[in-house]
Amino acid sequence: MSIYTAIATAAGRDGRAVSSDGVLDVDLALQKELGGSGAGTNPEQLFAAGYAACFAASLHLVAQREKVDAEDASVTAEISLSPNGKGGFQLGATLRVEMPDAIEPERARELVEAAHQVCPYSNATRGNIPVELVVE
């Protein structure tokens, strides 16, 4: 049973993406690197923003459960788009997690690894695309 379903509609990489409630309404444009104008956002940027936000929330949840103050932690997601060698494309992800200095590096890594098990985006991508975790 689902607790939430997001709904959005787009017709391609050029045009608009709109959520069913109208809160998300963005111009889409093919990246300059792919021969487009780059005059709008693109699916990889949207995925990066979603993954970063979701992973950060998962990290805060895990830290809270462990009674560790990680509220100042932040996540930067880098989503790469590459040819797959079969005429299509593939994604890759690097999550750069900036942890508060007060958290020991080994403990920070444990929390990040635990968040990677909790995060719905990590669970969806696991085994499907490479995801690198970098703790800074």
Side-chain angles (χ1 to χ4, degrees):
M1 181 171 149
S2 174
I3 59 173
Y4 174 76
T5 301
I7 302 169
T9 302
R13 286 183 172 265
D14 284 310
R16 301 190 72 67
V18 181
S19 62
S20 60
D21 61 5
V23 172
L24 176 74
D25 187 346
V26 295
D27 290 324
L28 300 174
L30 187 64
Q31 298 93 314
K32 288 182 181 181
E33 296 82 354
L34 298 177
S37 70
T41 192
N42 59 66
E44 291 72 35
Q45 288 174 332
L46 295 170
F47 186 60
Y51 203 166
C54 189
F55 197 89
S58 297
L59 178 61
H60 293 147
L61 176 67
V62 166
Q64 183 180 20
R65 286 179 182 168
E66 296 289 322
K67 299 188 182 349
V68 175
D69 182 5
E71 283 302 310
D72 290 337
S74 65
V75 178
T76 300
E78 301 171 4
I79 303 298
S80 60
L81 178 67
S82 309
N84 68 1
K86 300 174 187 172
F89 298 91
Q90 63 190 15
L91 297 174
T94 299
L95 300 178
R96 298 190 183 280
V97 184
E98 196 169 316
M99 296 292 282
D101 291 337
I103 301 174
E104 294 294 323
E106 184 176 317
R107 185 67 172 135
R109 184 74 189 180
E110 290 170 357
L111 293 169
V112 168
E113 291 288 345
H116 193 43
Q117 298 305 310
V118 171
C119 177
Y121 277 64
S122 291
N123 289 330
T125 59
R126 188 171 291 108
N128 296 309
I129 68 170
V131 177
E132 180 183 6
L133 302 175
V134 178
V135 182
E136 300 177 334

